[in-house]
Amino acid sequence: MDPFLQAAIDEARQGLNEGGIPIGSVIVHAGRILGRGHNRRVQKGSTVLHGEMDAFENAGRQSARVYRECVLYTTLSPCPMCSGAILLYGIPKIIVGENKTFMGEEDLLRSRGVKVEVLQDETCIALMREFIAARPDLWNEDIGV
């Protein structure tokens, strides 16, 4: 398995172990993880700390040049908010663990020139299916339903 997808999955599992939603993300620059994160809306009482947003926050301030050279890995297709951040910072490529349990703004990202690769990774799918079955209320809150 790709070590960067595995790092995102590890983040997702950490979020689940903390009582949160199992979505993880890492931002990779020049073969090294620049920022990693997981959905911490529950843990922090946050409205915005999705996995990708947490990874951006943990990457800290970076120049536009650095972000234009990054690949973002995420265990789940990115929502409108996270897709907006991907576009804002000019991330040129994202690797998505799966989009079967939730289809985010992949078409928008592609229309703006972002290369989107979807893996349909069984571990990512199982994490979300099990979580959604166990906590549909929390999942619906997270996606604004």
Side-chain angles (χ1 to χ4, degrees), residues 23-62:
I23 303 168
S25 182
V26 296
I27 301 169
V28 177
H29 181 258
R32 157 182 100 73
I33 295 176
L34 187 65
R36 60 191 313 138
H38 53 276
N39 187 306
R40 295 191 305 153
R41 290 185 65 250
V42 172
Q43 300 90 313
K44 297 287 186 179
S46 171
T47 59
V48 297
L49 279 181
H50 282 187
E52 299 90 338
M53 301 301 281
D54 194 37
F56 275 116
E57 182 69 15
N58 291 325
R61 278 181 67 194
Q62 302 295 327

Side-chain angles (χ1 to χ4, degrees), residues 1-141:
M1 172 178 291
D2 182 311
F4 299 123
L5 179 61
Q6 185 60 57
I9 291 169
D10 292 345
E11 286 290 327
R13 285 187 174 131
Q14 182 178 341
L16 184 62
N17 291 339
E18 293 170 356
I21 299 164
I23 303 168
S25 182
V26 296
I27 301 169
V28 177
H29 181 258
R32 157 182 100 73
I33 295 176
L34 187 65
R36 60 191 313 138
H38 53 276
N39 187 306
R40 295 191 305 153
R41 290 185 65 250
V42 172
Q43 300 90 313
K44 297 287 186 179
S46 171
T47 59
V48 297
L49 279 181
H50 282 187
E52 299 90 338
M53 301 301 281
D54 194 37
F56 275 116
E57 182 69 15
N58 291 325
R61 278 181 67 194
Q62 302 295 327
S63 71
R65 178 194 60 78
V66 168
Y67 280 127
R68 285 193 304 264
E69 297 171 351
C70 287
V71 177
L72 183 143
Y73 288 73
T74 182
T75 58
L76 186 65
S77 186
C79 77
M81 174 179 66
C82 296
S83 295
I86 289 164
L87 294 173
L88 177 66
Y89 292 108
I91 302 290
K93 180 178 180 180
I94 67 169
I95 308 291
V96 176
E98 67 103 349
N99 65 6
K100 289 183 183 241
T101 62
F102 176 79
M103 173 59 78
E105 296 296 324
E106 294 173 23
D107 289 341
L108 170 65
L109 291 167
R110 287 184 182 105
S111 78
R112 298 281 298 274
V114 177
K115 183 175 181 196
V116 178
E117 184 178 333
V118 182
L119 303 178
Q120 302 305 11
D121 179 82
E122 289 302 322
T123 301
C124 295
I125 294 167
L127 272 170
M128 286 309 300
R129 282 192 175 149
E130 291 166 15
F131 175 77
I132 291 167
R135 295 296 312 272
D137 57 323
L138 188 54
W139 171 239
N140 288 335
E141 175 191 323

